[in-house]
Amino acid sequence: MSTPGAGPSMDPTEFQLWVSLNEARATNDTGARTALLEDLVGRADDADVPRVLFLARRDLSDAYRRRGHWDLVYRLLRECLADHDRRPWRFTEEDVATLLQWYAWLVECMVDFPDFGLDEIDRAVDDVEQRFLAAGRDPHEVHSVRRGVAAHLGDWEAAEAAFLRWTATAAVDEDDRWLSVVGIEQALARGDAESVSRAHALAAPILAETAVSDEPTVLVRCLMLLPLAEAGRWDEAVLAYRRVQRGMSGEAHSLENHGRLVEFCALTGNETAGVDRLGPMKGFESRKRPLATMEYATSVAVLADALVRAGRGDTRLDLGDDPNSVPFHEVARRMRRVALELADRFDRRNASTVVSDRVRTRLAARPLADFVPLSPTSRPPLRARTDGLSDTALLHLARLHDLRCEQDEARACLAAISATPPEPVAAGVAELRAKFFQDDDTEAVLRRCAEVYRRHGDECSALLTHCWLGLWIVYKGRTDEGLATTADAVAALRSTGDDSACAWGEHWLAHVLAGQGRHPEARASLTRGKQHARAAEDLLALGSLLDLESGISPDGAIDSATAALTAFIAADAPEKALESLARLRNTYEHLNDLASFQSLVTRLLESPPPTGSNRLHGHLRYLRACALIDAGHPAAAADDLNEAIGQASLREGARVEQWYQSTYANHAAARYEDAVDAGLVAANWLDHLRDHPHGLDTADWSDWADNARYLVAESYRHLGDHQAALRELRKLATNHGPLSATAFIAGTHLLDELDHR
């Protein structure tokens, strides 16, 4: 082991401190590394070993920064500066350079904290410059500080002048991509057409790189997402989004970068993808860097507003902590408040409106497109059509979506109903909400709703509410009372002459009876219900009755389930059709006759799907893809799998095996960008299953996880991103799995190949 600073006269205490520093630097866990470094700083201070003390403080500041403890970062800087001022001879030339660069960067970061006054920042900038001059060092970093402060204040003349001085003093061996990053960031912040055009030109060569993981490339892609979209360069924007997702995967990145992806999703009709990226939101307000908090809150507010516009404002954001589980209409209000309050603090410090103007402009942004597919598995979100409908029509549509098992669309309809609808409509809204968000008040709400319907002369709605209420009472453990409630309501419905209402009433009664094992009575209720459904030509009710019949009549299960599937397809109710299809597959599998089921799938695929039934068609294509893979034709299955995953993701989400099969199929079809995206989802998910099997056999998960990871590495290699390929191979080689040796050999060959280039 080589030890920095070690010499022949080093005493045992100092040697052990160097060993401890190496151990801390080799520790991956941020919390554990922080604790080790805190202990090391104390020990180095007690033992009076100046170089270890300085390096440990510098490393500890990085650990604190990553955990959001910026007050401790600045405290450590002040301690190091004070040590240097008292005893400069204890610092090597290398340490002085490190200290000054660190100081310059943290002074530039002072603008991110509105509690630092402008006078205080100006004094710090002057102090940085004086220290650089005193040390005889090139003022390159000083120009960077002055540029950053001027850009934050919107003083573009000073920022441009400092930027030119900064680039002119750059070292010959400095990575010029960082010069481009700053140039792009400044040009976009200015916002005029000429500056934005310059940003596009600076970004072009970096965006064209196949590498995904190095920091400047990730940052440029984040910065350029919205400008590319605003320019209508959708293919480039989508490719940048896909690549930046990979580059950020598993790495620590700033809140601003996470926010840029969230905002891009929100403005391109990909709200669900944006929600999936809200992991950093947990505890983000406590990270103690106000500028990052403001930027991220603005992005989340833009997303939450998009969800509200899409009728999903009632969808709750669950961050794993009950107090933080809030509906998105509340998230929108809260994040807007956070962003504007922080922007106001910056403006009061800066004596301008630059920051608030920028935040308000972003908050007022309208969607750039209704929907932009971000990958081959992206599909337009399922949205209810609510424009121009009356409150009564919206309630009717919400009830229909509920019966079709389309809860998101039902909630969107409810969200579009006016704040003060007629009393019967308000009761209908309350009834559906009580069903969607079931709690101890559900029964009382349903009873009140039924009373309102009766008071307004709508006896059928009141009786149907009591039919469902009976199910709820049975669920709560009062079986006899619940069964009587539903049975009495159905008996009363029969005298109304409303065949559709009677069909649904018999459906709920059969449901209750079947749940109690009273199958003969349930079948009698189903027979009556089917007669009513046919008389009313209510295909949705007929399919629901047949589907329930297939579950309690084993002898005729195939016929009932097939008839239910046919009815649901004709009714254009894909979610219900999928339930019947799953029941059919289970029945055929039980009969050991999957060939007949596959024939049914083929027949259904040969018929064009009804409008809106793409979800059913997507699952049918998945079943065909499985057959193609089993037959040894994986490349031919790629399109089917992309469609299947896209449709599945609109509701319950695609399964891990679908992502795994997509990785295999896309790689076989030489679609390496698609294979990487699918493979990362599959490999990470499968690694989790291997580590948390939940009683499942981990052997299969291990094989699948390693195979997926290897295909990702191979796809990266084909794309020319050798750094990413080596990263994936290194993970495989060190996990002692079935492909460890193969990954080691492949990595060695790849390194040899790179050495010979």
Side-chain angles (χ1 to χ4, degrees), residues 655-678:
R655 301 192 305 275
V656 66
E657 58 265 31
Q658 291 176 305
W659 285 108
Y660 176 81
Q661 290 160 328
S662 178
T663 308
Y664 178 45
N666 279 302
H667 187 271
R671 300 178 182 180
Y672 299 118
E673 293 273 0
D674 300 343
V676 166
D677 286 345

Side-chain angles (χ1 to χ4, degrees), residues 389-722:
L389 297 180
S390 67
D391 287 342
T392 301
L394 285 167
L395 176 61
H396 174 76
L397 188 56
R399 284 172 166 161
L400 179 61
H401 281 305
D402 177 42
L403 292 172
R404 288 161 51 111
C405 293
E406 297 165 352
Q407 272 67 41
D408 285 344
E409 291 91 327
R411 291 169 185 166
C413 291
L414 295 183
I417 292 175
S418 65
T420 56
E423 188 179 28
V425 174
V429 172
E431 178 187 2
L432 282 177
R433 291 193 187 281
K435 292 177 178 178
F436 295 157
F437 307 108
Q438 298 168 10
D439 55 29
D440 292 339
D441 293 332
T442 295
E443 180 177 345
V445 171
L446 293 178
R447 291 188 185 278
R448 287 197 298 270
C449 293
E451 291 171 4
V452 172
Y453 298 146
R454 283 203 171 92
R455 193 161 62 246
H456 287 269
D458 188 354
E459 185 65 15
C460 276
S461 291
L463 291 171
L464 283 171
T465 300
H466 274 275
C467 288
W468 201 93
L469 176 61
L471 271 74
W472 176 254
I473 293 172
V474 170
Y475 169 73
K476 298 300 284 185
R478 290 140 51 202
T479 304
D480 292 342
E481 180 188 350
L483 179 55
T485 299
T486 300
D488 291 347
V490 172
L493 275 171
R494 293 174 191 142
S495 64
T496 65
D498 187 326
D499 281 310
S500 182
C502 287
W504 283 108
E506 296 287 3
H507 173 265
W508 298 127
L509 178 57
H511 201 290
V512 175
L513 290 165
Q516 302 307 308
R518 297 164 67 167
H519 289 172
E521 295 166 82
R523 281 192 285 270
S525 184
L526 290 169
T527 298
R528 294 191 298 270
K530 289 187 292 183
Q531 292 171 348
H532 287 297
R534 291 188 175 103
E537 298 183 350
D538 189 335
L539 292 173
L540 183 59
L542 178 61
S544 299
L545 290 155
L546 287 163
D547 190 59
L548 182 55
E549 182 179 63
S550 70
I552 62 175
S553 302
D555 292 342
I558 287 181
D559 291 340
S560 296
T562 303
L565 176 62
T566 302
F568 287 139
I569 291 174
D572 200 9
E575 304 308 313
K576 301 292 292 182
L578 283 168
E579 292 178 5
S580 292
L581 189 66
R583 196 184 300 280
L584 269 170
R585 190 187 192 288
N586 290 337
T587 303
Y588 276 115
E589 188 173 28
H590 181 72
L591 296 173
N592 198 27
D593 187 16
L594 282 177
S596 295
F597 177 74
Q598 198 60 48
S599 296
L600 172 64
V601 169
T602 301
R603 290 198 303 275
L604 291 171
L605 280 169
E606 289 171 351
S607 304
T611 303
S613 288
N614 289 331
R615 287 261 302 138
L616 171 64
H617 199 66
H619 186 66
L620 292 170
R621 290 185 66 174
Y622 172 64
L623 296 172
R624 180 171 67 186
C626 292
L628 286 168
I629 291 173
D630 289 343
H633 306 296
D639 286 335
D640 281 347
L641 285 164
N642 287 335
E643 177 67 12
I645 289 172
Q647 294 300 330
S649 298
L650 294 175
R651 294 273 190 215
E652 74 284 355
R655 301 192 305 275
V656 66
E657 58 265 31
Q658 291 176 305
W659 285 108
Y660 176 81
Q661 290 160 328
S662 178
T663 308
Y664 178 45
N666 279 302
H667 187 271
R671 300 178 182 180
Y672 299 118
E673 293 273 0
D674 300 343
V676 166
D677 286 345
L680 287 172
V681 174
N684 293 335
W685 193 345
L686 289 162
D687 280 341
H688 176 78
L689 289 174
R690 173 164 53 190
D691 296 336
H692 305 86
H694 303 294
L696 301 172
D697 183 0
T698 61
D700 287 340
W701 299 132
S702 295
D703 290 349
W704 281 28
D706 282 8
N707 287 335
R709 185 80 61 192
Y710 188 78
L711 288 174
V712 168
E714 279 293 286
S715 297
Y716 271 133
R717 185 179 66 79
H718 282 289
L719 290 170
D721 190 348
H722 299 116

Side-chain angles (χ1 to χ4, degrees), residues 131-264:
R131 287 176 180 272
F132 268 80
L133 290 173
R137 294 191 59 80
D138 188 286
H140 178 64
E141 285 88 354
V142 179
H143 300 318
S144 176
V145 176
R146 293 197 180 280
R147 186 218 64 83
V149 173
H152 173 80
L153 297 174
D155 184 350
W156 297 118
E157 184 177 347
E160 288 291 349
F163 177 73
L164 291 175
R165 289 193 294 270
W166 180 63
T167 55
T169 56
V172 175
D173 59 348
E174 185 167 340
D175 187 347
D176 59 3
R177 290 178 304 169
W178 281 115
L179 304 179
S180 296
V181 168
V182 176
I184 292 164
E185 195 167 25
Q186 182 157 304
L188 293 176
R190 293 196 68 166
D192 59 276
E194 183 180 348
S195 297
V196 172
S197 178
R198 185 166 75 250
H200 279 284
L202 286 170
I206 300 176
L207 291 172
E209 293 179 7
T210 57
V212 296
S213 303
D214 57 288
E215 192 174 353
T217 304
V218 167
L219 184 51
V220 167
R221 284 177 175 143
C222 286
L223 289 168
M224 292 303 298
L225 284 174
L226 284 175
L228 287 168
E230 288 163 351
R233 295 162 63 173
W234 291 112
D235 289 345
E236 295 171 73
V238 168
L239 184 58
Y241 174 81
R242 294 176 67 181
R243 287 178 170 175
V244 82
Q245 277 204 116
R246 299 176 209 149
M248 292 176 66
S249 177
E251 302 292 335
H253 289 275
S254 69
L255 278 175
E256 293 98 315
N257 278 356
H258 286 286
R260 288 176 179 116
L261 267 68
V262 167
E263 201 164 338
F264 177 75

